[in-house]
Amino acid sequence: MPLIKNGAITDDPWQFPAEDGPMPETGSVAVSLTQWQREKAVLLARSTPLGLLLTGNDSLDNIVPNITAYDLIAFVFPTFQDGRPYSMARLLRERYGYTGELRATGDVSRDQFLFMYRCGFDAFAVSAGNVIEDWLRAVSEISIWYQPTNDPRSALTTLRHKLHALE
Amino acid sequence: MYRYDEFDQTFVRQRVAQFRDQVARRLSGDLSEEEFKPLRLMNGLYLQLHAYMLRVAIPYGTFCSRQMRQLADISRHYDRGYGHFTTRQNIQFNWVKLDEVPDILAALAEVEMHAIQTSGNCIRNVTADPFAGAAADEIEDARIWCEIIRQWSTLHPEFSFLPRKFKISVNGAIEDRAALRVHDIGLQLKQNDTGEIGFEVMVGGGQGRTPMIAKSIRSFLPKEELLSYLESILRVYNLLGRRDNKYKARIKILVHDLGAETLANMVEREWQQLREGYVNLPDSELARIACYFAPPDLEDAAETDNGLDRARRANGQFESWLEHNVNAHKQPGYAIVTISLKPEGGVPGDIDADQMEVVADLAQRFSHDELRATYQQNLVLPHVRKRDLHVVWRLLAAHGLSTANHGLISDIIACPGMDYCSLATARSIPVAQSISQRFNDLTRQKNIGDLRLNISGCINACGHHHVGHIGILGLEKNGAENYQITLGGRSDRSAAIGEIIGPAFSAEKIADAVETVIDTYLDLRQPGERFVDAYARLGRGPFKERLYATH
Amino acid sequence: MKLEIVSANRLTDGRVVYLSHGGRWSEKIVDGRTARNDKESAALLTEAEASVAKCLVIDPYLLTISDETGAFTAMRLRERIRQFGPKVNQTLDQSV
Ligand code: SF4
């Protein structure tokens, strides 16, 4: 499954051990919240990067206390219609200061990229196809945003403000 | 009214290009119907029984003659020469072709219009009092806030995949002409004890199969903080609204399950975090938007006009029209004109291209180029000089637009029903037609007085039957159309859900049944008592008795 | 006796169409190919699905018709409205 990060196809260094499978000895691992809670001590004793694989059902209350421990937080979209991770992503980025990789996986298509990107997602596991071109096109289709979020693009109010300052 | 600046213009153009690309991908097979459907819905494009239907947004029902003329052109060029105004202050075209929709959207963009968020599980086109900016009973023009909400909710990155659709309505007048209490969020502008203007925030109203009246969760919100508060409500809903059952996914169910107080507390907690952030607009931007809604340049006209009085006395039809279709304006010497789209035997809300042009001309000549679409599927000329009323009426009359029935029994709200809608269980239009023909005598209608009769073709309740004084719901029973009557609903400040009166009636019997309800009311009412008030006093007993009496 | 045909909406313009001979789609119900038993119905649907893959139509399905009057008429009201169009100027008492 191709991974898009920073506008390029990237190798995915992360391993996602099965819920009841063995934990890889080395390398980066991302686990579910249940696995995390069960094996927290073991996981924290590793010297390699740790990550979480979450769904919209998980509560951020269980994630925030250890937020600095994670280098990856991946949200599974069982269907594109599940809009919860958009709010969770913004909260992680804007309220809890999470700076690691925020990945969207599951039912992710180019027509959602832009929404996700603006909510703070910066990595996308996509199914296949001519993905990079699609991605580059999708993120440039719309350049005007009415809502301020914390993505680097200026929201319209800022643009208008700048324009009026010039006048 | 609001005008696009270069950014708004760029945005809608980009959006058209984006959809053009999506349509091309669909036609070439890159996108399956399953993948394409949510994308077309985000642009207001439905597949109905006979064809695609495009729902065009008229933000908070405000538009101008240039836009109306473009709608007329679009209806001629891409459709069958007519359009249908809906209860959400939008207009629908019933016969568009998929491969031409990008061109239609481009034509709309030329006149600062679009079809964004007129469908799908997102924040829908915001609605308002159609008399906003003109009403005599106004506290503040709701449209300033509607435009702010429109911009904030447009392609909101966080709230484009909500559990279900989300409707916001704003009212700035005393009377509620925007059905606030049956919206997901209803915002009522008000003044507090210290003279500041703010909002009462009501949440969780709605119709459909579980109709509910909205609950107030904040009695006063300083108006400058509107967006952060809305963002808080939407965030709580986005995270907690049910996604396992689409019939339980609206915010009304969340309000019901948690209780209004718990929800209010959650929203309040979220808001404490957001209100200091960057969501609320800077004062300069608030002022920029407010500027567009400065009152038009109305002259100091005399409150009474001799010519008008003479014409009124000389012509009974004109007099009736003045009585029903003309409302008080905040500026002396001016009036608000409602153009009824409910001619006898007509299709409620339908208007043909020629009529659209007539209305556009009238708006330009006599109403400071402003038009409104109403929740009741009519049109409004908001700023007409009293001394122009007679000529406006004559021009309307010449084009079948002077029906003097606003607020009367034949001013029926009806959804498209099974004549067009793929979700319908029965037809609505023929029922509306037969009732308006049955009560065609205007003297009789006037005698019946203020009455809202609303018809829906299925339980989705787009025809607002739950809040009609008389509501009619079309159902299917053993392959035949059947119509259930509810009584006592209302959508005003004292909003209430109508009560089901008893077993449904067949298509042949429904007009008779309505007539029985009316006769019962006429027999039992006290002097000056409106239908809803009489119903509130009498309860359903006497109506039920007469309706189901065995002869 | 059971009599079914396949209907769908055409992708390009959304218009009502019926599966006809040679995998073609027609706006006229008389052109519709009929199925008289489950096996024939299933075969018709399979053929229709091929048109979905070719981006010709959307969501094909079977509907029951009658040919008693000598012409094909859909049995359900919804299908008759699809067949004949909205009769917006007709009163309720005149059935479609
Ligand atoms: S109420 Fe039902 S029939 Fe009427 S427009 Fe809505 S979905 Fe269609």
Side-chain angles (χ1 to χ4, degrees), chain A residues 5 26 63 88 111:
Chain A
K5 207 179 162 180
T26 56
I63 293 147
M88 297 164 87
D111 299 293

mmCIF file of all heavy atoms in Angstrom, chain A residues 5 26 63 88 111:
data_model
loop_
_atom_site.group_PDB
_atom_site.id
_atom_site.type_symbol
_atom_site.label_atom_id
_atom_site.label_comp_id
_atom_site.label_asym_id
_atom_site.label_seq_id
_atom_site.Cartn_x
_atom_site.Cartn_y
_atom_site.Cartn_z
ATOM 1 N N LYS A 5 3.760 10.994 1.775
ATOM 2 C CA LYS A 5 4.123 11.904 2.865
ATOM 3 C C LYS A 5 4.918 13.055 2.285
ATOM 4 O O LYS A 5 5.759 12.836 1.412
ATOM 5 C CB LYS A 5 4.965 11.139 3.904
ATOM 6 C CG LYS A 5 4.842 11.725 5.285
ATOM 7 C CD LYS A 5 5.637 10.981 6.319
ATOM 8 C CE LYS A 5 5.788 11.915 7.511
ATOM 9 N NZ LYS A 5 6.548 11.313 8.591
ATOM 10 N N THR A 26 12.658 -5.623 16.786
ATOM 11 C CA THR A 26 13.263 -4.310 16.515
ATOM 12 C C THR A 26 12.360 -3.497 15.590
ATOM 13 O O THR A 26 11.392 -4.009 15.056
ATOM 14 C CB THR A 26 14.630 -4.468 15.817
ATOM 15 O OG1 THR A 26 14.398 -5.241 14.631
ATOM 16 C CG2 THR A 26 15.633 -5.147 16.718
ATOM 17 N N ILE A 63 -5.199 8.953 25.240
ATOM 18 C CA ILE A 63 -4.019 9.137 24.396
ATOM 19 C C ILE A 63 -3.175 10.316 24.882
ATOM 20 O O ILE A 63 -1.952 10.261 24.933
ATOM 21 C CB ILE A 63 -4.464 9.367 22.940
ATOM 22 C CG1 ILE A 63 -5.106 8.082 22.422
ATOM 23 C CG2 ILE A 63 -3.293 9.782 22.063
ATOM 24 C CD1 ILE A 63 -6.205 8.326 21.453
ATOM 25 N N MET A 88 -10.650 14.709 15.752
ATOM 26 C CA MET A 88 -9.596 14.209 16.639
ATOM 27 C C MET A 88 -8.228 14.718 16.183
ATOM 28 O O MET A 88 -7.373 15.080 17.006
ATOM 29 C CB MET A 88 -9.649 12.681 16.678
ATOM 30 C CG MET A 88 -10.967 12.182 17.278
ATOM 31 S SD MET A 88 -11.300 10.440 16.945
ATOM 32 C CE MET A 88 -10.449 9.671 18.303
ATOM 33 N N ASP A 111 -10.260 12.598 -3.031
ATOM 34 C CA ASP A 111 -11.230 13.667 -2.823
ATOM 35 C C ASP A 111 -11.370 14.063 -1.347
ATOM 36 O O ASP A 111 -12.052 15.027 -1.033
ATOM 37 C CB ASP A 111 -12.570 13.264 -3.430
ATOM 38 C CG ASP A 111 -12.424 13.039 -4.938
ATOM 39 O OD1 ASP A 111 -12.175 14.017 -5.651
ATOM 40 O OD2 ASP A 111 -12.495 11.877 -5.372
#
